[in-house]
């Protein structure tokens, strides 16, 4: 039996408690031998002590691991001289150095979770946002121009390779799913601003070229402004949405907001050979260390990690564990065993963790 080496980076704020909660749940789901967790340093707190947000030994461990599980990073006020946040740099360095080009954000309404959108029920909102994760406006991170304290620019970069691989990823993902809840159609929606900017018209054109090879997946197009309304009015229409980095960052939080918020929003950042998994929320320093945070986003990101590893290595023990973790979370929410604060309950991080583990047993 393979033992999978998982690097964990607790990070800052609530990062340690949610990451350690997810490790506890994954151990419960997989037993003692399937996963080997090794904790490594990184983030803003570590930077304050050492001047390194991503220490070389942590990066090397990530590069040679089977997968990475991260809590959260970033502390307000801990910034570089250019004003950008140090903590986020941990995340961004891993993305760019390991070429994690597909940022996968499942938007799924679980039983027991109330959507702020009236009348939508579990099963009716179930789509995935695939955000291109290594270029777009983020290509300018650390490279923007600031001139005489009176002008600043950041360029939006769209490459053929970048679009081809993320569009292929999104189309392949649609093929693996059961289609949009509304009509069961396998559908890829291209989110862009092709009506205004050539770079986005290029993004759309390359998506269309790739889609030629996927006659079984319906193509749909939505401008980044319009899709924010569609995601509220017809969330059941969506199956897979592909978007450039900046637009993907924005609509993935909107999507999370429609299915219970960032406290339950999982994310998987995937390259050809590496996967970084973490809750889509931030480090929430205001509630750090008080056992108040919800670990569900990180736990569900852990389930995404198990499924990704299971598919990559043909290991059914992992994919079935992923299913069991997701079911334990959904049953726990539906039965109300331990409802976290962000879902209207009073359960503490440790109580939610224990409730999910109990359901796994
Ligand atoms: C996200 C976050 C990150 C981003 C930050 C933490 C670097 O907002 O993953 O959505 O801006 O992409
Ligand atoms: Mn974001």
């Amino acid at each position: 039996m393979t033992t999978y080496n998982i690097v964990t980076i607790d990070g800052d704020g609530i990062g340690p408690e949610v990451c350690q909660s997810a490790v506890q749940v994954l151990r419960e789901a997989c037993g003692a031998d399937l996963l080997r967790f090794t904790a490594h340093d990184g983030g803003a707190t570590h930077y304050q002590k050492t001047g390194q947000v991503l220490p070389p030994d942590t990066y090397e461990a990530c590069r040679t691991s089977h997968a990475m599980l991260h809590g959260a990073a970033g502390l307000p006020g801990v910034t570089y001289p250019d004003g950008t946040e140090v903590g986020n740099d941990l995340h961004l360095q891993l993305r760019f150095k390991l070429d994690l080009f597909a940022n996968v954000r499942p938007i799924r309404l679980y039983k027991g979770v109330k959507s702020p959108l009236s009348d939508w029920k579990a099963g009716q909102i179930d789509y995935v946002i695939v955000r291109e994760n290594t270029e777009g406006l983020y290509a300018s991170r650390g490279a923007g121009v600031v001139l005489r304290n009176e002008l600043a620019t950041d360029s939006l970069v769209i490459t053929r390779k970048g679009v081809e691989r993320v569009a292929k990823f999104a189309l392949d993902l649609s093929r693996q799913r059961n289609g949009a809840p509304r009509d069961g159609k396998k559908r890829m929606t291209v989110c862009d601003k092709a009506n205004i900017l050539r770079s986005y018209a290029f993004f759309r054109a390359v998506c269309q070229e790739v889609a030629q090879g996927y006659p079984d997946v319906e193509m749909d197009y939505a401008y980044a402004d319009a899709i924010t309304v569609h995601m509220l009015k017809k969330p059941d229409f969506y199956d897979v949405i592909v978007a450039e980095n900046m637009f993907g960052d924005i609509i993935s939080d909107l999507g999370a907001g429609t299915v219970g918020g960032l406290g339950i929003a999982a994310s998987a950042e995937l390259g050809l050979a590496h996967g970084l998994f973490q809750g889509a929320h931030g480090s929430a320093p205001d509630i750090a260390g008080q056992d108040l945070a919800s670990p569900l986003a990180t736990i569900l990101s852990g389930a995404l990690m198990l499924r990704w590893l299971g598919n990559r290595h043909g290991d059914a023990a992992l994919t079935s564990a992923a299913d069991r973790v997701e079911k334990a979370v959904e049953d726990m929410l539906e039965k109300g065993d331990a409802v976290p604060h962000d879902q209207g309950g009073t359960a503490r991080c440790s109580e939610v963790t224990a409730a999910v583990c109990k359901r796994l047993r």
Side-chain angles (χ1 to χ4, degrees):
M1 175 177 71
T2 305
T3 297
Y4 299 89
N5 293 311
I6 312 299
V7 165
T8 63
I9 306 176
D10 281 353
D12 307 308
I14 62 170
E17 45 205 297
V18 296
C19 194
Q20 289 159 27
S21 161
V23 168
Q24 207 179 318
V25 167
L26 295 174
R27 283 199 168 114
E28 189 65 52
C30 298
D33 305 325
L34 202 50
L35 305 175
R36 178 187 299 117
F37 293 98
T38 311
H40 281 272
D41 292 319
T45 309
H46 191 73
Y47 173 85
Q48 287 179 305
K49 292 178 202 155
T50 66
Q52 292 180 322
V53 69
L54 173 60
D57 60 318
T58 298
Y59 173 68
E60 190 52 23
C62 288
R63 193 184 63 77
T64 53
S65 70
H66 283 102
M68 300 158 271
L69 184 66
H70 177 39
L75 291 176
V78 183
T79 55
Y80 289 127
D82 68 4
T84 58
E85 273 211 27
V86 167
N88 291 348
D89 203 22
L90 162 73
H91 200 136
L92 290 163
Q93 282 193 42
L94 287 172
R95 275 183 191 170
F96 285 90
K97 287 180 174 176
L98 297 176
D99 205 19
L100 307 178
F101 66 87
N103 194 326
V104 181
R105 298 292 176 95
I107 308 296
R108 176 179 160 195
L109 184 58
Y110 282 90
K111 289 177 198 146
V113 176
K114 189 154 175 26
S115 166
L117 305 179
S118 54
D119 304 331
W120 294 102
K121 299 282 176 288
Q124 292 181 315
I125 304 177
D126 183 350
Y127 59 93
V128 181
I129 295 170
V130 177
R131 165 186 171 185
E132 199 294 320
N133 209 32
T134 59
E135 53 184 49
L137 197 47
Y138 278 58
S140 291
R141 160 99 176 162
V145 171
V146 178
L147 206 54
R148 291 190 307 277
N149 209 22
E150 64 186 21
L151 171 142
T153 64
D154 281 310
S155 304
L156 188 151
V157 175
I158 303 283
T159 69
R160 170 170 290 279
K161 174 184 173 182
V163 182
E164 282 176 348
R165 64 185 184 173
V166 78
K168 180 180 183 314
F169 182 98
L171 288 159
D172 288 337
L173 177 62
S174 178
R175 275 188 168 158
Q176 294 156 21
R177 291 170 45 85
N178 301 315
R182 171 178 288 199
D183 50 20
K185 284 228 174 108
K186 294 182 188 297
R187 179 176 293 122
M188 179 172 85
T189 298
V190 181
C191 166
D192 59 40
K193 200 66 179 169
N195 54 335
I196 305 297
L197 296 176
R198 290 174 185 159
S199 54
Y200 285 119
F202 177 66
F203 181 90
R204 177 177 294 198
V206 175
C207 285
Q208 286 170 325
E209 283 177 33
V210 177
Q212 295 302 314
Y214 294 77
D216 51 316
V217 180
E218 180 188 287
M219 290 298 281
D220 172 57
Y221 305 92
Y223 299 132
D225 48 348
I227 205 168
T228 62
V229 179
H230 299 331
M231 287 165 69
L232 303 180
K233 293 278 192 186
K234 57 173 190 176
D236 60 330
F237 176 77
Y238 293 108
D239 174 26
V240 175
I241 300 172
V242 66
E244 171 271 333
N245 212 334
M246 188 77 247
F247 284 165
D249 179 49
I250 294 165
I251 67 170
S252 50
D253 280 16
L254 172 63
T258 66
V259 292
L262 291 176
I264 196 169
S267 92
E269 301 186 47
L270 307 176
L272 295 177
H274 297 90
L276 169 62
F277 301 84
Q278 73 163 128
H281 52 69
S283 56
D286 55 317
I287 61 168
Q290 302 166 45
D291 198 18
L292 287 176
S294 170
L296 292 183
T298 314
I299 290 170
L300 289 170
S301 300
L304 290 181
M305 179 181 80
L306 296 180
R307 183 165 294 111
W308 177 73
L309 282 171
N311 291 337
R312 268 175 75 79
H313 299 278
D315 192 329
L318 289 169
T319 44
S320 71
D323 293 340
R324 285 186 288 110
V325 170
E326 286 176 351
K327 183 163 181 2
V329 168
E330 186 157 44
D331 290 351
M332 185 206 72
L333 287 167
E334 189 184 15
K335 301 292 185 283
D337 308 354
V339 181
H341 288 259
D342 64 301
Q343 300 306 325
T346 57
R348 311 183 75 78
C349 183
S350 52
E351 291 167 327
V352 173
T353 308
V356 175
C357 287
K358 186 176 174 199
R359 282 200 171 268
L360 283 167
R361 281 194 286 276

